[in-house]
């Protein structure tokens, strides 16, 4: 019994069965059908010691559950002890209600007889208030403080839906999230907006520190809180985002992303999928996005895309293409030749934690790239050795590499040439790198497209340069069909992100953001302190070598989220306090959830076949973040600053 009780109060962070129906779609036509429902458990109506009724509610509506206790199934009795508003998974059988018990509600003709249940995420035993209790009036201040819980009320959820219909949404329920937020250590530098409010609600009356809003880097926290509320199952928004980052090519300080968040996304591979490459959760998000992309390409380009896109893990992408956003329109793959070296060289590399890789430009197969290959300069890649294979070095070329300290015999070279298909006239590029490449967040930024150490290896960058140069020379024309690719299983944490060092100060930082869930197989490694081994349930969508979207399965366990913030990222109490509202929301029975953001500006530039995103934005900023037309940003007078309690610092 103690195991059962412990299970009632423990968050499930592992794969679980998919729900078969929403709570509002069941009718008499489903009578006799076995179903799986997911939702929030509401107050029990106990008829006798053997019979109870429970409502289960999701964003679509409510279904009545019937629980009959019998000696053969003691576990069902434990449903009475599950905290109200917990997220649960129900297995049961649909049955018609007796005529006298039918109700006029959408599911009023049926009930579901429960066979078993699973607690996905228990709510706290005592909540600030209970949305299902319509007889208790809650004051406005408390409702505002716990808005994510208030939104779980049917009346408010109905208002959100009506607002969405008025807004003429397309595909998803559209909800606007606020632009004036509180500063928090999520990732990039934020734009701050001064406020004339005299003090914060959390500050003492005597505190006269100036107050600032923060413009959102993304609507990450609001959209998670929205899904935590239970008011909706899917959220969609064309979201304006702002990042105060250093200048880079085609980077905009304000940009638009197609933002999506969904409730009850999976935590593992789809049980019926034949695609074994996708080993993380979030396949529901993948399905929605692939359907959306297929529809866009069909309507705009007249191209029918495949029903599913290819998938590579981060390590596979780095190993084969030397990039975490590879262009798969041309082959020319990188190869790891460490295992082909003489044994003592293998040992030397292993002791350094390195591997030796090769990129072969074959005269017989890669002719469109050969002029670019001959003109390629390696001044930016000093770690790369370039060797042109001739009749005189066909059996000695490996010895020309700086790492090979002793001669490698002709027999070994003959074997290498056979395995790697090396011939006279080919050009070889060799480079060492770490055996486990560290990801760099700057390289997975939706709006940063330069090649930064961490998101690409030396040979990966060289491969990309060969393609770009060959296109500029007119020798290589990429195929017209788009090559979409999912890249998954990124390292969850990194220490190789120069863009976040102003926040990290030598600590671990999140590769994606601090709310990304680990792969369930790596949870133990995270708690054991093997942080570098932890993979995230993070997925990037890549098109022709350009990242157009990124998302993840989120952490829905408050204890896990707090552990990541406190013990892995080692945030201070003040830094961690900026996420208290999200932690509280997770404790209110938040459903497992996940989402994604597509870079709308970048997507449009691809569809418009232009190299610059500034060509698809009405009033873009320069790469330096300035607006020559409206002359922004601009200075304001000391009088204006004083209204906000700010004083300009004068340069000496």
């Amino acid at each position: 019994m103690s195991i059962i009780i412990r299970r009632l109060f423990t968050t499930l962070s592992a794969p679980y069965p998919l729900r078969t129906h929403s709570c509002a779609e069941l009718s008499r036509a489903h009578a006799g059908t076995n179903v799986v429902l997911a939702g929030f458990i509401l107050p029990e109506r106990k008829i006798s010691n053997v019979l109870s009724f429970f409502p289960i509610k999701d964003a679509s509506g409510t279904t009545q559950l019937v629980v009959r206790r019998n000696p053969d199934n003691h576990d069902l009795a434990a449903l009475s002890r599950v905290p109200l508003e917990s997220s649960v998974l129900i297995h049961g059988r649909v049955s018609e209600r007796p005529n006298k018990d039918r109700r006029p509600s959408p599911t009023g003709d049926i009930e579901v007889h429960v066979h078993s249940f699973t607690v996905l995420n228990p709510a706290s035993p005592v909540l600030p208030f209970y949305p299902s209790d319509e007889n208790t009036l809650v004051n406005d201040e408390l409702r505002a403080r716990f808005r994510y819980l208030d939104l779980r009320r049917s009346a408010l959820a109905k208002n959100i839906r009506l607002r969405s219909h008025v807004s003429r949404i397309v595909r998803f329920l559209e909800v606007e999230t606020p632009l004036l937020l509180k500063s928090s250590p999520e990732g990039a530098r934020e734009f701050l907006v001064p406020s004339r409010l005299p003090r914060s609600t959390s500050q003492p009356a005597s505190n006269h520190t100036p107050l600032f809003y923060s413009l959102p880097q993304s609507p990450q926290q609001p959209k998670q809180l929205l899904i935590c509320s239970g008011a909706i199952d899917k959220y969609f928004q064309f979201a304006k985002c702002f990042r105060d980052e250093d200048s880079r090519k085609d980077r905009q300080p304000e940009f638009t992303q197609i933002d999506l968040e969904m409730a009850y996304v999976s935590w593992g591979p789809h049980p019926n999928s034949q695609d074994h490459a996708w080993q993380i959760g979030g396949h529901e998000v993948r399905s929605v996005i692939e359907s959306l992309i297929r529809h866009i390409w069909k309507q705009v380009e007249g191209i029918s895309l495949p029903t599913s896109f290819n998938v590579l893990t981060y390590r596979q992408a780095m190993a084969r293409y030397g990039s975490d956003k590879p262009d798969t329109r041309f082959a020319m793959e990188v190869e790891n030749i460490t295992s082909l070296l003489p044994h003592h060289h293998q040992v030397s590399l292993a002791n350094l934690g390195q591997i030796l890789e090769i990129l072969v430009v074959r005269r017989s197969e890669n002719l469109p790239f050969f002029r670019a290959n001959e003109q390629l300069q390696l001044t930016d890649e000093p770690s790369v050795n370039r060797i042109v294979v001739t009749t005189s070095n066909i059996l000695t070329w490996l010895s020309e590499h700086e790492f090979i300290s002793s001669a490698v015999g002709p027999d070994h070279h003959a074997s290498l040439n056979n395995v790697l298909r090396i011939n006279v006239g080919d050009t070889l590029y060799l480079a060492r790198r770490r055996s486990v490449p560290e990801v760099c967040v700057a390289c997975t930024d939706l709006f940063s497209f330069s090649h930064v150490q961490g998101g690409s290896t030396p040979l990966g960058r060289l491969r990309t340069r060969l393609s770009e140069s060959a296109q500029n020379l007119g020798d290589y024309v990429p195929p017209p069909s788009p090559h979409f690719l999912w890249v998954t299983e990124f390292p969850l944490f990194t220490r190789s992100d120069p863009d976040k060092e102003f926040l990290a100060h030598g600590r671990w930082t999140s590769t994606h953001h601090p709310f990304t869930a680990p792969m369930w197989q790596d949870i133990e490694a995270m708690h054991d302190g093997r942080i570098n081994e932890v993979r995230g349930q993070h997925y990037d969508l890549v098109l022709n070598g350009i990242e157009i979207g990124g998302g993840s399965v989120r952490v829905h366990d408050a204890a896990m989220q707090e552990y990541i913030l406190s013990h892995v990222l080692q945030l201070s109490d003040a830094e961690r306090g900026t996420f208290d509202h999200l932690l509280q929301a997770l404790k209110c029975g938040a459903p497992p959830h996940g989402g994604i953001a597509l870079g709308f500006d970048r997507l449009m530039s691809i569809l418009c076949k232009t190299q610059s995103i500034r060509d698809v934005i009405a009033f873009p900023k320069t790469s330096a973040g300035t607006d020559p037309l409206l002359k922004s940003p601009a200075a304001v007078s000391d009088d204006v600053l004083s209204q906000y309690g700010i004083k300009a610092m004068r340069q000496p």
Side-chain angles (χ1 to χ4, degrees):
M1 182 62 72
S2 62
I3 296 176
I4 296 174
I5 299 303
R6 187 165 62 250
R7 196 177 68 216
L8 301 181
F9 297 93
T10 302
T11 299
L12 177 67
S13 294
Y16 58 89
L18 305 179
R19 58 178 174 177
T20 58
H21 301 80
S22 68
C23 291
E25 72 176 287
L26 297 177
S27 65
R28 282 185 291 175
H30 297 96
T33 303
N34 289 323
V35 297
V36 179
L37 302 178
F40 303 97
I41 196 70
L42 301 185
E44 174 185 15
R45 183 160 58 94
K46 192 171 184 178
I47 306 302
S48 67
N49 290 333
V50 297
L51 178 64
S52 288
F53 297 104
F54 294 82
I56 182 173
K57 176 187 175 183
D58 65 11
S60 68
T62 304
T63 295
Q64 178 171 279
L65 306 177
V66 180
V67 173
R68 296 184 182 276
R69 302 172 184 84
N70 59 69
D72 296 328
N73 197 340
H74 295 288
D75 288 0
L76 287 183
L79 188 58
S80 301
R81 306 183 67 168
V82 175
L84 295 182
E85 303 294 338
S86 296
S87 282
V88 298
L89 196 74
I90 299 294
H91 292 254
R93 191 177 185 85
V94 180
S95 176
E96 289 189 43
R97 292 191 191 185
N99 288 332
K100 62 182 180 62
D101 294 331
R102 293 181 181 177
R103 300 290 184 269
S105 63
T107 58
D109 293 336
I110 60 94
E111 55 195 12
V112 174
H113 289 256
V114 179
H115 297 158
S116 63
F117 74 93
T118 301
V119 177
L120 297 174
N121 195 13
S124 297
V126 178
L127 298 180
F129 59 89
Y130 292 88
S132 58
D133 186 355
E134 299 178 353
N135 299 319
T136 301
L137 295 177
V138 181
N139 66 60
D140 289 343
E141 181 180 352
L142 192 62
R143 290 174 55 193
R145 184 179 173 192
F146 299 97
R147 182 65 171 176
Y148 47 83
L149 201 55
D150 196 34
L151 279 170
R152 204 174 288 182
R153 295 192 299 119
S154 297
L156 274 186
K158 183 179 179 181
N159 291 346
I160 295 294
R161 291 174 178 277
L162 182 60
R163 179 184 174 106
S164 176
H165 280 297
V166 173
S167 300
R168 301 175 64 186
I169 86 132
V170 178
R171 294 188 63 83
F172 304 117
L173 189 69
E174 186 167 10
V175 182
E176 302 94 344
T177 54
L179 292 180
L180 296 177
L181 302 175
K182 181 181 179 181
S183 178
S184 63
E186 284 185 44
R189 285 184 175 88
E190 302 163 317
F191 283 102
L192 300 178
V193 180
S195 168
R196 294 187 300 109
L197 291 175
R199 63 186 178 90
S200 167
T201 55
S202 61
Q203 288 180 336
S206 60
N207 193 317
H208 300 292
T209 302
L211 303 180
F212 296 85
Y213 295 105
S214 171
L215 297 180
Q217 303 172 40
S218 77
Q220 188 60 46
Q221 292 189 62
K223 70 178 181 179
Q224 284 193 240
L225 293 171
L226 190 64
I227 298 301
C228 289
S229 76
I232 58 175
D233 252 9
K234 291 181 184 178
Y235 141 97
F236 156 83
Q237 181 184 193
F238 278 93
K240 276 291 183 184
C241 305
F242 308 84
R243 295 179 187 174
D244 186 10
E245 297 179 306
D246 296 334
S247 299
R248 278 198 191 147
K249 177 186 175 183
D250 255 10
R251 172 179 277 176
Q252 289 285 297
E254 55 178 314
F255 50 88
T256 304
Q257 63 187 33
I258 303 174
D259 214 56
L260 166 70
E261 197 79 6
M262 298 173 64
Y264 298 107
V265 302
S266 59
W267 253 66
H270 195 295
N272 300 321
S273 175
Q274 300 302 310
D275 186 356
H276 301 297
W278 188 282
Q279 289 296 307
I280 59 175
H283 60 82
E284 298 89 348
V285 177
R286 175 191 181 186
S287 177
V288 168
I289 292 300
E290 289 182 345
S291 176
L292 175 63
I293 293 294
R294 284 197 303 271
H295 183 70
I296 291 173
W297 251 255
K298 184 66 176 178
Q299 293 296 314
V300 177
E301 299 284 271
I303 295 175
S304 297
L305 298 176
T307 55
S308 63
F309 303 156
N310 291 333
V311 179
L312 288 176
T313 67
Y314 167 77
R315 288 198 177 190
Q316 289 171 337
M318 295 295 281
R320 292 175 56 184
Y321 301 100
S323 172
D324 61 4
K325 45 180 178 287
D327 187 345
T328 56
R329 290 174 296 177
F330 63 102
M332 206 189 303
E333 296 187 13
V334 177
E335 295 182 77
N336 179 359
I337 64 170
T338 308
S339 63
L340 303 178
L341 300 176
H343 179 70
H344 62 282
H345 289 306
Q346 295 183 38
V347 173
S348 298
L349 284 168
N351 291 337
L352 295 171
Q354 295 180 345
I355 59 174
L356 182 62
E357 293 183 318
I358 190 171
L359 179 69
V360 182
V361 182
R362 308 179 195 283
R363 180 172 288 278
S364 60
E365 298 177 11
N366 307 127
L367 195 58
F369 301 94
F370 228 84
R371 196 152 58 113
N373 167 62
E374 291 173 342
Q375 298 178 8
L376 189 66
Q377 300 295 318
L378 297 179
T379 53
D380 293 337
E381 299 293 350
S383 64
V384 177
N385 280 43
R386 182 175 187 265
I387 301 170
V388 177
V389 180
T390 65
T391 53
S392 61
N393 71 355
I394 184 69
L395 296 178
T396 61
W397 58 263
L398 184 58
S399 300
E400 297 179 28
H401 189 270
E402 59 182 13
F403 179 75
I404 306 302
S405 57
S406 58
V408 178
D411 291 342
H412 201 108
H413 272 91
S415 176
L416 275 173
N417 294 341
N418 181 57
V419 172
L420 299 175
R421 298 187 297 114
I422 292 174
N423 295 292
V424 172
D426 294 346
T427 301
L428 315 180
Y429 294 94
L430 292 100
R432 288 182 291 158
R433 70 164 174 89
R434 292 186 57 178
S435 56
V436 180
E438 283 192 270
V439 72
C440 170
V441 183
C443 313
T444 57
D445 182 345
L446 286 179
F447 307 95
S448 167
F449 302 98
S450 58
H451 304 295
V452 184
Q453 185 71 32
S456 57
T457 66
L459 294 187
R461 291 189 291 275
L462 190 146
R463 178 180 182 272
T464 301
R465 285 172 56 193
L466 282 171
S467 171
E468 292 172 347
S469 179
Q471 290 180 62
N472 292 335
L473 291 169
D475 295 342
Y476 169 60
V477 178
S481 58
H483 281 227
F484 286 93
L485 173 72
W486 290 103
V487 180
T488 65
E489 299 183 29
F490 286 80
L492 189 56
F493 306 105
T494 181
R495 280 196 170 115
S496 300
D497 181 11
D499 277 359
K500 288 188 179 180
E501 183 53 31
F502 75 99
L503 284 173
H505 303 299
R507 299 173 293 184
W508 287 103
T509 56
S510 298
T511 302
H512 191 214
H513 54 58
F515 318 118
T516 298
M519 292 185 66
W520 68 274
Q521 303 95 322
D522 295 348
I523 294 175
E524 182 178 347
M526 183 177 70
H527 286 280
D528 285 347
R530 292 175 280 132
I531 307 302
N532 61 314
E533 298 178 17
V534 182
R535 298 163 296 170
Q537 297 194 63
H538 170 190
Y539 33 83
D540 279 357
L541 182 58
V542 177
L543 169 59
N544 299 343
I546 298 172
E547 180 191 343
I548 63 170
S552 66
V553 177
R554 320 302 187 193
V555 176
H556 65 281
D557 180 355
M560 180 185 293
Q561 184 66 80
E562 192 153 12
Y563 182 87
I564 289 173
L565 297 174
S566 301
H567 297 279
V568 179
L569 303 180
Q570 298 180 346
L571 300 187
S572 66
D573 290 342
E575 290 172 324
R576 191 170 61 251
T578 60
F579 303 117
D580 280 349
H581 49 280
L582 179 59
L583 292 170
Q584 181 62 42
L586 298 180
K587 293 176 183 177
C588 293
H593 55 288
I596 194 171
L598 298 179
F600 187 56
D601 305 320
R602 172 56 60 189
L603 194 63
M604 289 307 305
S605 72
I606 293 172
L607 289 170
C608 294
K609 299 176 177 60
T610 177
Q611 292 298 311
S612 174
I613 61 174
R614 291 193 291 273
D615 291 339
V616 297
I617 301 173
F619 299 101
K621 302 290 189 293
T622 67
S623 60
T626 61
D627 187 333
L629 175 64
L630 300 175
K631 305 297 188 293
S632 64
V636 297
S637 68
D638 289 345
D639 289 342
V640 172
L641 290 177
S642 67
Q643 297 175 34
Y644 298 95
I646 301 173
K647 186 176 181 179
M649 295 179 63
R650 304 301 180 190
Q651 295 293 330

